[in-house]
């Protein structure tokens, strides 16, 4: 098996960045291949947390002394930082709300905002083969409105068979003037496919609100809310190099009612916000488009190697298996199954060789996979050597 060459021009860049992750360099015998679950943190993020807690820790928007003012500034600055990171060129019209992560962000939209948009007989589009966090909240809104006598129709998001990309033509046929809300995903957490969200606007027309679960996109792939013409972007800071509990909802505020999460919001996760600001700065300096190229190339190296191993099935778009494929749309996630070995057992065996992967049902909705699988998910700290080592262990188990 001849391994394809991974972005040669990025090797020196990547070595320098990898060296900034203490947990990675501290355990050279292990390979962390579970970044879709959560990412590791660079020293800049750890330092920002330490600096915040040792120089400015206070509550936000509640005090008049220096530490409180600094904390308030941090939270306001990071709202703008998030908008800029998402390519929002008109941040004065949008809003950023901090949440504990994607799950809580999507649930907040479903609970506090969506009921104000919908009227009896409206339709919502729900992606039944995506992450449960992007399915359950919308169904709960429907149940809640049904109790009040408001009937909402759920339209199943159509998928293309084989690739699991959204089928935008079928979506255009299913959508109509009563389609008010579309829940979609930026990068699929099982198949690793970029879901071509830019096609959704054309399929559903100019009025529908598009809400994007970008948990696997932000920090991995460049994202422009203007290019995609979406109305909400929701993500988890912990998957984008920041601390757990540091997610955000970005809201365009132009279609439907304004997004103003209800109730007394309490103390924000200021330490998480400090980590998020540092993580976004770090990612911008590293260059998200280079992070994307690196991780996409590693994924292609893995799928290319797996092509020679008949014992394994790779889930998702088969065309993206070739490293030189012009239709390569797979991002840094490769999910596989051994045709004879249970995925839970395979995950266990891989860990005995030092590989940390996810092996279970991956929180996918009922329209997706019926059996477990092993997911290999990458970030900028992963290397060609780790992929080659993984391939040789997989080959020995074939
Ligand atoms: N959506 C997608 C696509 C995800 O991959 C995940 C995490 N696996 C979530 C939502 C939920 O994220 P969190 O647990 O950070 O709320």
């Amino acid at each position: 098996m001849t391994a394809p060459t991974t972005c040669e021009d990025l090797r020196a860049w990547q070595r320098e960045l990898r060296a900034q992750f203490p947990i990675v360099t501290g355990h050279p015998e292990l390979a962390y291949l579970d970044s879709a679950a959560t990412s590791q943190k660079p020293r800049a993020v750890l330092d920002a947390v330490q600096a915040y807690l040792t120089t400015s820790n206070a509550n936000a928007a509640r005090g008049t002394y220096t530490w409180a003012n600094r904390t308030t500034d941090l939270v306001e600055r990071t709202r703008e930082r998030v908008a800029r990171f998402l390519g929002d060129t008109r941040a004065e019209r949008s809003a950023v709300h901090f949440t504990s992560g994607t799950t809580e962000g999507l649930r907040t939209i479903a609970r506090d905002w969506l009921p104000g948009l919908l009227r009896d007989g409206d339709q919502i589009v729900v992606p039944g083969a995506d992450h449960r966090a992007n399915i359950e909240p919308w169904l709960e809104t429907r149940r809640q409105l049904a109790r009040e006598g408001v009937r909402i129709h759920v339209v199943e998001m159509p998928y293309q068979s084989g690739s699991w990309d959204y089928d935008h033509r079928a979506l255009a046929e299913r959508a109509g003037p009563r389609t008010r809300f579309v829940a979609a995903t930026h990068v699929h957490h099982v198949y690793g496919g970029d879901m071509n969200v830019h096609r959704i606007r054309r399929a559903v027309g100019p009025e529908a609100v598009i809400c994007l679960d970008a948990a696997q996109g932000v920090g991995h792939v460049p994202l422009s809310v203007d290019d995609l013409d979406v109305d909400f972007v929701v993500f988890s800071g912990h998957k984008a190099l920041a601390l757990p509990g540091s997610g955000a909802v970005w809201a365009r505020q132009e279609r439907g009612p304004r997004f103003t999460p209800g109730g007394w919001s309490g103390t924000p996760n200021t330490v998480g916000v400090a980590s998020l600001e540092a993580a976004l700065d770090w990612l911008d300096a590293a260059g998200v488009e280079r992070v994307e190229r690196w991780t996409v190339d590693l994924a292609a190296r893995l799928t290319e190697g797996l092509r020679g191993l008949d014992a394994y099935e790779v889930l998702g778009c088969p065309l993206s298996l070739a490293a030189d494929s012009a239709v390569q749309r797979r991002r840094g996630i490769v999910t596989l199954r051994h045709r004879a070995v249970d995925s839970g057992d395979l995950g266990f065996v891989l860990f005995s060789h030092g590989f940390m992967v996810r092996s279970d049902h991956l929180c996918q909705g009922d329209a997706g996979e019926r059996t477990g699988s092993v997911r290999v998910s990458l970030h900028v700290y992963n290397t060609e050597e780790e992929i080659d080592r993984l391939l040789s262990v997989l080959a020995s188990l074939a």
Side-chain angles (χ1 to χ4, degrees):
M1 184 195 324
T2 50
T5 350
T6 308
C7 300
E8 276 180 58
D9 57 316
L10 293 182
R11 284 207 185 119
W13 164 87
Q14 193 271 342
R15 256 195 307 277
E16 200 185 306
L17 296 187
R18 176 179 163 92
Q20 296 177 36
F21 288 80
I23 198 171
V24 173
T25 54
H27 298 89
E29 75 289 4
L30 299 174
Y32 184 73
L33 300 172
D34 198 15
S35 292
T38 198
S39 65
Q40 300 304 339
K41 323 302 175 200
R43 187 170 296 289
V45 169
L46 306 179
D47 288 350
V49 167
Q50 169 88 3
Y52 171 71
L53 285 173
T54 52
T55 65
S56 324
N57 181 44
N59 211 319
R62 282 163 177 78
T64 49
Y65 50 90
T66 315
W67 293 356
N69 291 340
R70 276 197 215 138
T71 299
T72 305
D73 284 350
L74 166 74
V75 172
E76 291 313 316
R77 200 166 69 225
T78 307
R79 283 190 216 283
E80 286 167 26
R81 190 73 189 80
V82 167
R84 195 152 31 94
F85 194 79
L86 299 179
D88 176 6
T89 53
R90 298 190 301 162
E92 70 286 354
R93 303 198 192 176
S94 58
V96 171
H97 171 72
F98 293 112
T99 69
S100 66
T102 307
T103 304
E104 179 57 20
L106 295 168
R107 200 183 288 142
T108 302
I109 296 168
R111 188 189 54 213
D112 293 356
W113 181 86
L114 188 56
L117 175 78
L118 298 174
R119 301 285 171 266
D120 190 52
D122 281 347
Q123 294 177 338
I124 60 175
V125 179
V126 176
D130 291 6
H131 197 284
R132 286 192 182 281
N134 198 16
I135 300 172
E136 311 283 344
W138 320 124
L139 301 182
E140 179 53 32
T141 301
R142 182 174 74 149
R143 282 193 292 272
Q144 178 201 324
L145 289 174
R147 286 193 289 272
E148 297 163 17
V150 178
R151 286 155 308 164
I152 301 301
H153 304 290
V154 169
V155 174
E156 289 282 337
M157 174 72 92
Y159 295 83
Q160 298 184 32
S161 73
S163 74
W164 289 95
D165 192 0
Y166 297 139
D167 185 339
H168 56 285
R169 290 192 188 85
L171 179 61
E173 279 164 25
R174 287 182 197 186
R178 299 304 299 270
T179 306
R180 305 296 311 282
F181 181 83
V182 182
T185 299
H186 187 208
V187 173
H188 201 282
H189 73 294
V190 176
Y191 307 113
D194 177 321
M195 301 300 279
N196 287 309
V197 169
H198 62 281
R199 294 178 183 151
I200 292 179
R201 172 63 59 207
R202 239 176 304 147
V204 299
E207 303 298 332
V209 170
I210 302 175
C211 174
L212 194 59
D213 170 349
Q216 302 297 348
V218 169
H220 295 80
V221 185
L223 191 167
S224 156
V225 290
D226 289 350
D227 291 351
L228 294 179
D229 197 5
V230 292
D231 300 284
F232 287 101
V233 171
V234 186
F235 69 95
S236 303
H238 72 93
K239 296 185 201 280
L241 313 184
L243 293 190
S246 63
V249 171
W250 171 92
R252 185 182 292 282
Q253 306 285 49
E254 284 174 349
R255 293 181 182 95
R258 291 182 72 72
F259 176 67
T260 46
W264 172 248
S265 55
T267 301
N269 176 3
T270 51
V271 182
V273 170
S275 78
L276 185 59
E277 180 186 45
L280 300 184
D281 285 350
W282 192 92
L283 283 161
D284 263 346
V288 178
E289 71 296 333
R290 280 186 285 190
V291 173
E292 177 187 34
R293 270 179 62 212
W294 181 259
T295 51
V296 165
D297 250 46
L298 290 185
R301 190 180 184 92
L302 177 56
T303 53
E304 185 75 357
L306 285 165
R307 269 213 301 183
L309 302 177
D310 288 343
Y312 296 93
E313 167 200 9
V314 175
L315 278 54
C317 181
L319 295 173
S320 66
L321 294 185
D324 59 354
S325 166
V327 293
Q328 168 69 266
R329 294 174 31 260
R330 186 186 293 280
R331 300 301 164 216
I333 295 177
V334 179
T335 303
L336 55 106
R337 282 195 199 106
H338 192 294
R339 296 189 200 277
V341 178
D342 171 76
S343 292
D345 294 346
L346 182 57
F348 188 75
V349 172
L350 289 176
F351 184 59
S352 74
H353 290 272
F355 299 103
M356 291 178 268
V357 296
R358 174 90 180 257
S359 56
D360 57 22
H361 285 82
L362 308 175
C363 311
Q364 197 177 8
D366 291 338
E369 302 300 319
R370 295 277 166 204
T371 51
S373 51
V374 168
R375 181 178 68 189
V376 176
S377 57
L378 307 161
H379 216 307
V380 66
Y381 33 77
N382 293 118
T383 62
E384 295 156 274
E385 188 268 328
E386 288 172 336
I387 298 296
D388 293 348
R389 214 156 22 100
L390 175 66
L391 278 168
S392 84
V393 171
L394 290 172
S396 74
L397 302 171

